[in-house]
């Protein structure tokens, strides 16, 4: 299995030189055909590598799943929404993210979230978090999104990020200032210690995303 994981990682960066399985296991052939028609053959290789990643990670322990998913999506090129989509803010589905081969912070977090859900991790253990990212070289705070994993309620979460690409506990990320967080089940407002549930997830961008998924 270790060899399989290495192959998946290498294949992502060497798309043109490595043979990839052409029969998907986690979505239909029809979906693959429609995806290929819309985004092209090179994009379909990324989709199949995603499928391979899911297969390779299914029986792994939680930390391995987190690392494999985090590392996989962090290889995709970063590009701002205004440049990539012609919109100030656009939340891409994992298929759109892989299809276009680029995206910004929320696209990484969303793709990781849905992949880990596919791998059997409960929704209540995952939250996408809107944060202010503190730039160490200035006092400027940048809007940013990350994914967090909670081993149990009120535990210190593990952060999956596309800026600092290593898995770290939230207490080891003083550069992140949480504002609010959400998953499919709800919305939370950050407090000085922990967070407070404020209700259902009624974010318009999330609703738009779910209609496309």
């Amino acid at each position: 299995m270790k060899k399989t994981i290495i192959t998946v990682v290498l294949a992502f960066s060497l798309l043109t030189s490595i043979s990839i399985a052409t029969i998907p296991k986690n979505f239909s052939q029809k979906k693959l055909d429609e995806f290929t028609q819309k985004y092209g053959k090179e994009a379909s290789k990324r989709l199949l590598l995603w499928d391979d990643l899911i297969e390779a990670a299914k029986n792994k322990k939680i930390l391995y799943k987190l690392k494999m998913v985090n590392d996989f999506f962090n290889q995709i090129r970063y590009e701002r929404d205004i440049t990539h989509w012609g919109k100030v803010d656009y939340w891409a589905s994992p298929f759109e993210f892989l299809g276009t081969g680029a995206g910004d912070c929320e696209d990484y977090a969303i793709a990781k979230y849905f992949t880990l859900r596919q791998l059997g991790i409960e929704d209540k253990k995952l939250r996408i978090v809107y944060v202010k990212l503190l730039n160490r070289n200035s006092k400027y705070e940048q809007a940013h999104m990350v994914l967090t994993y909670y081993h149990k309620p009120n535990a210190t979460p593990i952060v999956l990020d596309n800026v600092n690409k290593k898995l770290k506990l939230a207490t080891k990320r003083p550069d992140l200032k949480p504002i609010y967080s959400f998953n499919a089940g709800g919305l939370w407002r950050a407090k000085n210690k922990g967070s407070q549930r404020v209700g259902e997830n009624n974010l318009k961008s999330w609703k738009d995303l779910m209609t496309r998924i």
Side-chain angles (χ1 to χ4, degrees):
M1 185 60 74
K2 185 175 181 180
K3 184 177 180 181
T4 302
I5 297 168
I6 294 171
T7 300
V8 169
V9 174
L10 290 175
F12 191 88
S13 60
L14 299 171
L15 292 175
T16 58
S17 61
I18 293 179
S19 176
I20 305 167
T22 57
I23 301 176
K25 299 180 180 65
N26 298 284
F27 48 88
S28 68
Q29 184 64 43
K30 179 182 178 182
K31 181 66 178 180
L32 176 60
D33 293 341
E34 291 173 348
F35 182 92
T36 303
Q37 184 175 9
K38 183 174 183 178
Y39 296 108
K41 290 184 177 180
E42 288 303 309
S44 71
K45 293 178 182 179
R46 290 192 289 269
L47 189 64
L48 287 167
L49 283 166
W50 183 38
D51 185 59
D52 287 346
L53 168 73
I54 293 170
E55 283 299 298
K58 276 182 177 178
N59 297 318
K60 290 293 182 180
K61 293 182 179 180
I62 291 294
L63 282 178
Y64 281 97
K65 289 181 179 180
L66 297 179
K67 178 170 172 39
M68 290 169 70
V69 170
N70 193 53
D71 290 348
F72 179 84
F73 284 106
N74 282 347
Q75 295 175 85
I76 296 180
R77 177 170 54 88
Y78 175 88
E79 192 165 329
R80 296 174 61 206
D81 285 337
I82 194 65
T83 304
H84 195 51
W85 296 106
K87 298 180 180 181
V88 175
D89 189 38
Y90 183 79
W91 293 13
S93 72
F95 288 102
E96 291 172 320
F97 188 35
L98 289 165
T100 60
D104 68 357
C105 58
E106 69 266 17
D107 303 325
Y108 292 93
I110 288 166
K112 293 170 187 178
Y113 168 84
F114 281 104
T115 303
L116 290 169
R117 291 289 291 117
Q118 177 74 17
L119 288 169
I121 296 180
E122 297 173 277
D123 188 58
K124 66 182 181 180
K125 292 188 174 184
L126 297 169
R127 289 191 202 172
I128 297 172
V129 189
Y130 172 69
V131 301
K132 291 297 182 69
L133 175 63
L134 308 178
N135 189 323
R136 72 173 70 180
N137 297 319
S138 70
K139 296 182 180 180
Y140 176 71
E141 295 183 343
Q142 176 185 349
H144 186 49
M145 274 193 183
V146 298
L147 179 65
T148 54
Y149 167 79
Y150 292 79
H151 177 64
K152 58 183 179 180
N154 300 318
T156 300
I158 296 172
V159 178
L160 289 75
D161 186 13
N162 67 291
V163 173
N164 186 329
K165 296 178 173 20
K166 293 183 178 180
L167 296 181
K168 288 191 175 184
L169 290 171
T171 50
K172 301 296 184 182
R173 292 296 306 274
D175 56 326
L176 300 181
K177 179 182 177 182
I179 306 298
Y180 68 84
S181 61
F182 61 92
N183 57 25
L187 180 69
W188 289 262
R189 181 174 61 243
K191 299 171 63 177
N192 288 337
K193 290 186 178 181
S195 60
Q196 178 183 13
R197 185 184 171 93
V198 294
E200 300 300 316
N201 182 355
N202 293 315
L203 297 171
K204 183 179 183 301
S205 295
W206 179 260
K207 290 182 176 180
D208 292 343
L209 170 67
M210 294 307 295
T211 59
R212 280 179 276 117
I213 291 178

